[in-house]
Amino acid sequence: MNIHTYEKLWLAAAMVLIVGFIATITYGAVGPGVTMVNDDGGSIDPDAISDHERFGDTGVTHVGGDEYEVAVVAQAWSYSPGEIEVPAGSEVTFYVTSRDVTHSFSVVGTNINTMVIPGEVSQMTVEFDEPGEYGILCNEYCGQGHHNMEGKLTVVPEDEFNMTELSVEAPDEVEAGNETTINATVSDGMQTDLGTTVTLEIGDQQYEEDVAIEGAGSESVEFAVDTDELGAGDHDWTVTAAGYEESGTLTVVDGEGGSDGGDGDA
Ligand code: CUA
């Protein structure tokens, strides 16, 4: 059988095109950094999201090494949390579910773009190599506030990322002569141990205590403040730990009551 030369050429060109299409699609499906949405996330009772182990407390969790998990709840018309911060050089797995209707979770400029369906958990893992800022959008029409449904994802330089928190409990006012305490709690959101010194400065008094915090744990320090030594009046205090600072004012009131006239202590 004799095939015309032109026909041979067209056959060859068609074969090349077909192979090219298959190669393109294969690359798109399994190429570097590309993740397919799947149903690995499982299902969830949309009415019991607040009690759920993962979604009861949304936000970023350090899993270990450079791996992080982010739990996000979508609802009309916002994401919780609305702002997400992860470090560069991390591998982040997003778990997203909806409290009400179908939304989407799309991180503009990345390949994260998934439907978020009530009762289902969408799961995606992405690597962020470089610092950057990304908008998060809802691409699924979800009611009159749909166009306002947005969030923000910030990839910060690794050395600027911190999951340490400092919280301080202190009274506003105390009577002179009474002992009072200022409590500082340092929590370590990373899976690695943290050692730091907690310092309290109040008036010209200074207290400090070293704490060792186990990964994902927290430690509290109680400073007993001598109000006699401070004397009556307003005293600014500052608590520092792990590069964080909290401050406030403690007012020591004269226990004898009465006016705050200028009669000294002596
Ligand atoms: Cu949520 Cu559109």
Side-chain angles (χ1 to χ4, degrees), residues 152-166:
K152 194 168 114 184
L153 171 71
T154 311
V155 182
V156 298
E158 212 168 338
D159 55 0
E160 284 175 27
F161 185 75
N162 203 319
M163 290 187 77
T164 307
E165 275 174 39
L166 168 67

Side-chain angles (χ1 to χ4, degrees), residues 108-189:
V108 181
T110 73
N111 63 317
I112 307 171
N113 184 4
T114 183
M115 257 179 143
V116 183
I117 302 163
E120 302 286 332
V121 178
S122 304
Q123 176 186 343
M124 290 137 296
T125 300
V126 192
E127 285 177 20
F128 292 104
D129 295 330
E130 298 295 327
E133 251 184 49
Y134 302 92
I136 300 171
L137 286 180
C138 180
N139 280 334
E140 205 69 38
Y141 183 74
C142 56
Q144 58 173 349
H146 162 70
H147 61 282
N148 287 326
M149 186 159 171
E150 56 188 23
K152 194 168 114 184
L153 171 71
T154 311
V155 182
V156 298
E158 212 168 338
D159 55 0
E160 284 175 27
F161 185 75
N162 203 319
M163 290 187 77
T164 307
E165 275 174 39
L166 168 67
S167 67
V168 179
E169 274 174 55
D172 292 328
E173 197 177 282
V174 64
E175 256 183 41
N178 290 355
E179 188 177 88
T180 191
T181 54
I182 292 181
N183 286 294
T185 303
V186 185
S187 34
D188 173 14

Side-chain angles (χ1 to χ4, degrees), residues 21-40:
F21 287 150
I22 292 174
T24 309
I25 290 169
T26 308
Y27 179 79
V30 298
V34 176
T35 334
M36 288 288 136
V37 175
N38 54 38
D39 59 359
D40 286 354

Side-chain angles (χ1 to χ4, degrees), residues 198-208 223 229 238 240:
V198 186
T199 314
L200 166 68
E201 275 181 62
I202 180 163
D204 50 14
Q205 302 179 32
Q206 181 161 348
Y207 304 82
E208 60 176 49
F223 295 110
E229 213 169 290
T238 305
T240 50

Side-chain angles (χ1 to χ4, degrees), residues 45-113:
D45 177 0
D47 295 324
I49 285 178
S50 310
D51 304 325
H52 190 271
E53 196 191 343
R54 169 168 286 132
F55 294 100
D57 186 16
T58 56
V60 181
T61 308
H62 182 230
V63 190
D66 57 0
E67 290 174 31
Y68 295 82
E69 281 180 10
V70 184
V72 180
V73 175
Q75 65 251 310
W77 294 283
S78 63
Y79 298 100
S80 167
E83 294 193 4
I84 299 167
E85 199 177 278
V86 293
S90 61
E91 184 182 301
V92 182
T93 303
F94 292 90
Y95 295 89
V96 194
T97 193
S98 168
R99 198 183 288 283
D100 39 40
V101 297
T102 299
H103 299 276
S104 94
F105 182 80
S106 310
V107 182
V108 181
T110 73
N111 63 317
I112 307 171
N113 184 4

